[in-house]
Amino acid sequence: MSQKLVCNCNGTMPLDAKALGVPVHNSLCRQEVGSFLKALDGSDSLVVACTQEGALFNELAEQAEKPLIAPLRFVNIREVAGWTQEAKSSGPKIAALLALADMPEAEPVPVVNYESQGRLLIVGPGSQVIPWAEKLSTSLDVSVLCTEPSDLPLARNYPIYSGAVSKLDGYLGNFSVEWDLQNPIDPEMCTRCGACVDACPEAAIDLSFQIDLDKCKSHRSCVTSCASIGAIAFDRVDRSRNAQFDLILDLRMDPKMRMSQTPQGYFAPGKDPLDQALVVNQLLEMVGEFEKPKYFAYNEKVCAHGRNGKVGCSACIDVCSTGAISSLFKGGQGSVEVNPNLCMGCGACSTVCPSGAMRYNYPSVTHQGKELKALATVFSAEAKKINLAAAPSLLLHSLKKGTQLIDGLGRSAHVLPKQFEALPSFVIPYGIEHIASTGPDLWLGALAYGFAEVVLLLSGEEDPAYHAALEDQANLANAILKAYGFDERIQLVMADSAQDLQRVSKAMGALRQRGALPALCTPASFGLSNQKRETVEAVLEHFQKQAKAALPEAGVPLPANSLLGGLAINKEACTLCMSCVGSCPEGALLDNADEPILSFIEKQCVQCGICVQTCPEHALTLQPRLQTVEQRKQRSTLNETQAFHCISCGKPFGTTKMVDLMLAKLGAHGAFAGAAMDRVKMCGDCRVVDMVKKEL
């Protein structure tokens, strides 16, 4: 167990030391700082219930004579509990948050490395890029690409190019830029001697050292004056240029990289001088070696992206806002490839992945499950002590922007309680790296652990694709709950930005007015698995045991984006060719070695649709639905028919329907008249023997 230092922030929080089981300080960061310094001498980990003064406490810990043996952690109870309209009844929430801070840290994950030598390309109109190049050239290895001409410095202190960007991609330390030279003068070769300016009779060349083609009358005097240098060519064929850079400062009005999360090392601050200056400060710090977490883990074996040259599920590719995920086919087998340097850790790919092949790993669902279970368990236990029959609500939010919103709301509600509604006493915030990284497995798992509802707080900076994905997944999770007779318990709260306190305040006020909800079921004891479908199956089994309504025999329809469901088959069209069996990446479709039977295990199906696309007869249709756990585990027969036996040896080698179909299609062809038609009725071995006999 850790030492816990709790402070009521100069008496502004009504904390009950007896109920919390720890002493409560009044000014831990000021007059009572000695208590903190004394706690540093212990060997246990230390939890300080204050995040605002975290920098101060860290500095004091670094200056202490005795180095820290155990980690120093911080937890915020002020803005989320103590500074709320229901602070006096927030004891269970505070106890739960303190318990969360006691949980072991997540296992470390692999890292992704970057190396930047400071090779910076500034691209944009010459009037904007040249001044910044002059300022930065003494600190960074600067190059300039002018997309619009402007007076150039006569000194060649850094490379200057001109043209239109045709391609720009990459990441910190590895950007590749291609552009087309569109003017007869190549500024990379130009020495800025001014001979062409003097020689041009139309004054079509100025100190931008670019030719104004509207003024130029093709005298070519400039070409002659530059003959020894060769920087001017009106008939230049090869206009394509390319180079590698570590950093990009894009000052164009229409930047090429327009994704919501641009790669590390790429900055497009717009035309505001202040924004440009702030970005420049960041650029100066991006020289050296850097690393970031590898946010994802990918299991190609269960990926349902493609089989036999057919694309099935492409959900992760479609939702990725950074272009980090691409399709990869080898020998007809489809998988996806993730560039870890481009991945920015949103986790939306894992949220929409139906098979669990793409898994968010920072931290893992297993680790998050343990923390959520602790939160729900401690809150419920503390609530019972004060006869509070309320289940907690889980508020999921992004660590950076979401925390900024929640903290800002708590401060505003403390100062202006009549204008702002802070978090209700039953709402427990839980920060995750990115709000898009969480999906139905975690949400439903939280409900199974005893949370009454899950609220997703979107701060407004997320990519629109993430909004759509989370709405779709929330609709799916609510549809599953309704199938068992439960109320909808997953909802989204959307702010316009991290400063949009009014909208979040309104949402929290609505929750407070409604009051706490009861838990859906008795708390589950199982742990959440890193395998998405294992978690989902465990949750479904738990819900089914305590469902308020029994599932009908045919199951309950689910939304089209469901990761659960079955297959409908047109038996008249199906020839039992078994091409669907070979295409199924999850083993949900099965054949039979002894007789023509097509079987199906619904639990294995991820609704990827490869079988539907592969079927030559278009006999299959996806059927998103929820059946009972027992039904989904069973091996059911989709179609069966009589086997066709070889007319020569009697061995079964196909279905009667398939052979009849072949005979009907080939009967009108002259090449299959007489004995040739009989060979269609033979197995492969007998067909060869018959052909050899006829030739002899």
Side-chain angles (χ1 to χ4, degrees):
M1 294 293 290
S2 64
Q3 302 179 75
K4 295 184 179 64
L5 295 178
V6 178
C7 179
N8 63 21
C9 198
N10 198 29
T12 58
M13 291 188 285
L15 303 182
D16 187 338
K18 183 178 179 181
L20 293 175
V22 294
V24 174
H25 297 271
N26 189 66
S27 55
L28 186 65
C29 62
R30 296 294 184 268
Q31 286 86 354
E32 297 176 85
V33 72
S35 298
F36 172 76
L37 296 175
K38 183 179 179 180
L40 293 177
D41 294 332
S43 57
D44 294 331
S45 60
L46 181 60
V47 175
V48 180
C50 174
T51 53
Q52 174 165 300
E53 299 297 334
L56 170 64
F57 290 122
N58 273 320
E59 183 178 351
L60 291 173
E62 290 175 0
Q63 296 174 355
E65 294 182 2
K66 180 181 177 182
L68 278 177
I69 300 175
L72 175 62
R73 301 180 187 175
F74 301 93
V75 59
N76 180 21
I77 63 172
R78 189 179 73 175
E79 279 78 8
V80 302
W83 278 6
T84 67
Q85 284 86 348
E86 298 174 357
K88 292 183 179 180
S89 57
S90 291
K93 174 163 58 172
I94 294 175
L97 292 173
L98 291 173
L100 177 63
D102 248 346
M103 297 288 291
E105 293 185 353
E107 292 291 325
V109 299
V111 297
V112 179
N113 295 307
Y114 297 90
E115 183 177 352
S116 168
Q117 298 175 9
R119 298 174 301 163
L120 168 67
L121 175 68
I122 309 178
V123 55
S127 59
Q128 292 194 45
V129 300
I130 296 298
W132 280 119
E134 293 292 316
K135 294 177 182 178
L136 292 171
S137 59
T138 57
S139 303
L140 299 171
D141 183 4
V142 173
S143 297
V144 168
L145 175 55
C146 295
T147 56
E148 298 175 14
S150 178
D151 288 358
L152 302 184
L154 296 180
R156 288 170 53 89
N157 294 328
Y158 46 85
I160 297 179
Y161 313 106
S162 70
V165 176
S166 56
K167 184 179 180 182
L168 196 168
D169 56 27
Y171 46 84
L172 176 64
N174 190 31
F175 283 103
S176 177
V177 184
E178 297 179 8
W179 66 94
D180 294 323
L181 181 62
Q182 298 181 326
N183 198 272
I185 298 182
D186 186 346
E188 185 180 4
M189 297 179 64
C190 175
T191 63
R192 266 93 88 188
C193 66
C196 59
V197 179
D198 294 335
C200 180
E202 294 91 13
I205 308 175
D206 56 20
L207 292 183
S208 68
F209 295 99
Q210 296 285 276
I211 299 175
D212 186 338
L213 296 176
D214 292 331
K215 294 181 180 180
C216 179
K217 303 300 181 183
S218 302
H219 289 91
R220 300 300 188 262
S221 300
C222 57
V223 178
T224 304
S225 68
C226 193
S228 60
I229 304 298
I232 306 177
F234 283 83
D235 56 353
R236 183 181 287 111
V237 176
D238 185 11
R239 297 176 177 270
S240 179
R241 302 286 187 273
N242 65 82
Q244 303 292 122
F245 303 95
D246 298 318
L247 301 161
I248 304 291
L249 176 57
D250 196 338
L251 300 180
R252 293 172 295 170
M253 292 299 295
D254 185 24
K256 282 291 181 184
M257 289 188 168
R258 301 188 64 84
M259 64 275 285
S260 62
Q261 290 182 290
T262 52
Q264 298 274 13
Y266 175 87
F267 299 91
K271 63 181 181 180
D272 188 294
L274 176 59
D275 291 339
Q276 293 179 7
L278 293 173
V279 161
V280 165
N281 287 334
Q282 295 181 58
L283 286 169
L284 294 171
E285 298 175 355
M286 301 193 75
V287 179
E289 296 183 0
F290 306 90
E291 64 180 32
K292 71 174 182 181
K294 184 181 179 184
Y295 296 102
F296 65 93
Y298 174 61
N299 183 1
E300 183 179 344
K301 293 182 179 179
V302 297
C303 179
H305 178 57
R307 281 288 180 92
N308 301 335
K310 301 286 187 180
V311 176
C313 173
S314 59
C316 61
I317 298 175
D318 297 337
V319 79
C320 181
S321 68
T322 66
I325 309 178
S326 57
S327 175
L328 183 66
F329 271 82
K330 292 182 180 179
Q333 178 73 28
S335 61
V336 298
E337 190 172 48
V338 186
N339 186 328
N341 293 94
L342 288 177
C343 173
M344 298 297 284
C346 70
C349 54
S350 63
T351 298
V352 299
C353 178
S355 67
M358 194 67 72
R359 176 166 57 85
Y360 198 68
N361 209 32
Y362 190 70
S364 66
V365 170
T366 297
H367 177 81
Q368 290 176 328
K370 292 176 181 178
E371 292 191 332
L372 294 182
K373 191 174 185 178
L375 283 172
T377 301
V378 172
F379 181 96
S380 298
E382 294 298 317
K384 286 181 181 178
K385 292 179 182 179
I386 57 175
N387 297 318
L388 181 64
S393 295
L394 179 65
L395 178 64
L396 293 174
H397 63 89
S398 295
L399 278 174
K400 293 182 180 179
K401 298 296 184 181
T403 300
Q404 183 180 340
L405 262 174
I406 292 172
D407 287 356
L409 183 63
R411 297 184 191 109
S412 298
H414 178 64
V415 177
L416 301 169
K418 294 182 179 180
Q419 296 182 30
F420 292 94
E421 295 270 6
L423 303 190
S425 60
F426 55 85
V427 174
I428 300 179
Y430 182 75
I432 51 182
E433 184 68 15
H434 196 289
I435 191 63
S437 68
T438 174
D441 50 339
L442 188 71
W443 307 338
L444 297 178
L447 295 178
Y449 282 154
F451 281 98
E453 65 182 333
V454 177
V455 181
L456 307 176
L457 176 59
L458 281 70
S459 59
E461 284 80 7
E462 302 86 2
D463 188 273
Y466 302 160
H467 289 198
L470 289 173
E471 286 180 337
D472 286 346
Q473 296 300 313
N475 289 336
L476 171 61
N478 282 323
I480 292 173
L481 294 174
K482 290 173 66 177
Y484 290 118
F486 300 129
D487 298 329
E488 294 185 0
R489 295 294 180 92
I490 313 293
Q491 64 167 300
L492 275 63
V493 173
M494 298 189 188
D496 284 335
S497 69
Q499 288 74 43
D500 185 11
L501 301 182
Q502 289 290 353
R503 187 170 302 190
V504 182
S505 172
K506 183 178 180 181
M508 294 303 106
L511 292 180
R512 178 177 287 106
Q513 186 175 9
R514 183 208 62 194
L517 296 172
L520 287 180
C521 52
T522 57
S525 59
F526 59 79
L528 302 190
S529 169
N530 281 335
Q531 304 305 316
K532 184 174 189 174
R533 296 189 70 85
E534 286 186 14
T535 294
V536 171
E537 292 297 331
V539 170
L540 294 181
E541 190 167 350
H542 184 72
F543 283 166
Q544 183 175 304
K545 291 177 181 178
Q546 304 179 58
K548 294 183 178 180
L551 295 174
E553 181 72 20
V556 176
L558 293 177
N561 67 309
S562 174
L563 75 168
L564 306 171
L567 281 175
I569 187 168
N570 183 344
K571 295 183 178 181
E572 294 299 319
C574 176
T575 62
L576 286 168
C577 67
M578 302 299 176
S579 59
C580 57
V581 175
S583 71
C584 181
E586 309 298 332
L589 286 162
L590 307 158
D591 60 5
N592 189 300
D594 301 320
E595 49 188 333
I597 299 177
L598 176 62
S599 302
F600 178 65
I601 301 177
E602 189 155 326
K603 178 184 175 183
Q604 302 296 114
C605 181
V606 299
Q607 298 285 287
C608 67
I610 296 178
C611 59
V612 175
Q613 297 187 49
T614 300
C615 178
E617 312 302 335
H618 307 291
L620 295 173
T621 306
L622 293 178
Q623 200 171 28
R625 67 183 179 188
L626 179 64
Q627 289 192 312
T628 65
V629 172
E630 295 74 22
Q631 286 177 306
R632 298 180 63 251
K633 290 180 179 179
Q634 290 177 357
R635 178 170 175 161
S636 60
T637 298
L638 287 182
N639 198 13
E640 60 182 325
T641 188
Q642 294 182 341
F644 187 90
H645 296 266
C646 174
I647 61 174
S648 178
C649 69
K651 182 177 70 175
F653 73 93
T655 68
T656 301
K657 187 172 184 178
M658 184 170 61
V659 174
D660 288 343
L661 182 62
M662 291 173 61
L663 292 173
K665 290 183 177 181
L666 299 175
H669 199 288
F672 291 92
M677 182 61 76
D678 287 339
R679 292 193 189 118
V680 177
K681 304 175 185 178
M682 299 178 186
C683 65
D685 295 336
C686 293
R687 193 176 302 130
V688 173
V689 171
D690 185 69
M691 291 175 67
V692 172
K693 286 182 178 179
K694 293 296 190 290
E695 290 178 1
L696 296 175

